[in-house]
Amino acid sequence: MTEWVAFDHRADFAFGPTTLRTLWPQLHAGDREPFPQEPALLAGWAAFHEGAFEQAFQSALELGEAGWSLAHKAQWVYATLLEPKEKLRQKMLLEVVERAAAHCAQSPQNANAHYWRASALARYSQSISVAKALALGLGNKIRTDLETAIGLDPRHADAHVALGSFHADVIDKVGTLIARMTYGARKETCLRLFELALQLTPTSASTLTEYAHALVILEGDARADLATSYYAQAAQAPVLDAQQRLEHDLVQAERAI
């Protein structure tokens, strides 16, 4: 098995049970993951938030279905924010898709099972090109899973963000008319999804950044000032754990370009 790249700032984050319980509502405002009751699962989530992604992933797999949400998130975050090799990144994302598919089958009422399958497939689609992914029929699978997640949990902000990004990406690649007629992607739906996500997670760097991306795609210069404002807010968003540190670093790098 390939060794995972280490997160450089683990010393900056420490999550004992009390700290994790206190910060949990903020850390999981986007995905609405329930607070873990099993000690082993709690330790796995603590490792994740500290940046020990491989440790969190391996411990989650040992727990079976109870650890699948942690396994999905640890592998997805690592693949999208740390793994430098494109082929390995794609492989990991497809592993999340496969595991999350089993999760959906076992627990069809679990919003995060659908969310992680869609989110991993969306990131994989971006890596092979959105146009190719649409030709392979992946777009409808992504949209269906995200709509299912939102139907199961209307306050799932991360699913709103991912679905908004889906609408924006499809419009960007195939144009407004084909996007609407073939894939059900609409500008007004995209903006509404992001507005809902922003209401639910107003200080989330990922929400602000993805909304800014969508505004650039859909509105161009007409909303450039608002997009710039969201990028600036994302750069000032609170950094409570390893994932947020990686997202913060990504925002800073994008703003420097």
Side-chain angles (χ1 to χ4, degrees):
M1 181 177 177
T2 303
E3 184 176 350
W4 292 24
V5 175
F7 172 64
D8 290 336
H9 304 283
R10 278 193 62 186
D12 295 344
F13 304 100
F15 285 90
T18 301
T19 301
L20 190 55
R21 180 180 288 277
T22 300
L23 293 179
W24 191 268
Q26 295 165 266
L27 293 169
H28 292 273
D31 64 19
R32 306 259 293 166
E33 183 68 27
F35 185 78
Q37 300 302 317
E38 299 177 21
L41 185 56
L42 184 67
W45 277 109
F48 168 82
H49 289 296
E50 291 172 355
F53 298 116
E54 185 174 15
Q55 177 186 335
F57 173 72
Q58 294 296 344
S59 66
L61 291 183
E62 293 174 3
L63 295 171
E65 185 182 350
W68 278 352
S69 283
L70 172 57
H72 304 332
K73 187 164 188 171
Q75 195 170 27
W76 184 95
V77 168
Y78 173 79
T80 57
L81 296 175
L82 265 179
E83 175 52 50
K85 298 176 183 176
E86 182 65 27
K87 291 296 183 183
L88 185 53
R89 184 183 306 118
Q90 292 177 350
K91 178 177 180 291
M92 287 184 165
L93 290 170
L94 290 177
E95 287 175 358
V96 176
V97 172
E98 182 178 2
R99 189 187 319 106
H103 200 177
C104 289
Q106 290 286 338
S107 302
Q109 299 304 305
N110 187 313
N112 273 331
H114 295 277
Y115 168 72
W116 285 116
R117 179 166 65 174
S119 190
L121 195 56
R123 290 293 187 179
Y124 174 77
S125 297
Q126 290 172 346
S127 74
I128 65 171
S129 90
V130 173
K132 182 178 180 180
L134 292 174
L136 292 172
L138 303 185
N140 287 330
K141 294 180 180 180
I142 293 167
R143 187 188 68 188
T144 298
D145 259 336
L146 292 172
E147 289 175 347
T148 299
I150 292 170
L152 291 168
D153 185 355
R155 295 183 63 80
H156 197 298
D158 288 352
H160 285 84
V161 170
L163 187 54
S165 295
F166 166 80
H167 282 264
D169 285 343
V170 173
I171 292 169
D172 186 40
K173 293 301 180 288
V174 303
T176 302
L177 182 60
I178 295 176
R180 180 186 295 267
M181 294 180 62
T182 307
Y183 303 104
R186 295 170 169 81
K187 171 183 170 180
E188 56 272 22
T189 303
C190 173
L191 297 176
R192 183 174 70 251
L193 286 162
F194 275 114
E195 281 299 318
L196 287 168
L198 196 59
Q199 290 173 25
L200 293 167
T201 52
T203 63
S204 165
S206 58
T207 298
L208 290 160
T209 301
E210 292 299 323
Y211 196 177
H213 287 169
L215 287 171
V216 171
I217 290 171
L218 299 175
E219 303 281 10
D221 292 343
R223 303 293 290 279
D225 288 346
L226 182 58
T228 299
S229 171
Y230 285 159
Y231 280 124
Q233 290 178 55
Q236 298 299 318
V239 176
L240 300 178
D241 75 343
Q243 180 184 357
Q244 292 180 1
R245 173 59 186 268
L246 289 168
E247 291 171 345
H248 176 269
D249 291 349
L250 184 62
V251 171
Q252 296 288 17
E254 289 182 355
R255 295 185 75 206
I257 295 175

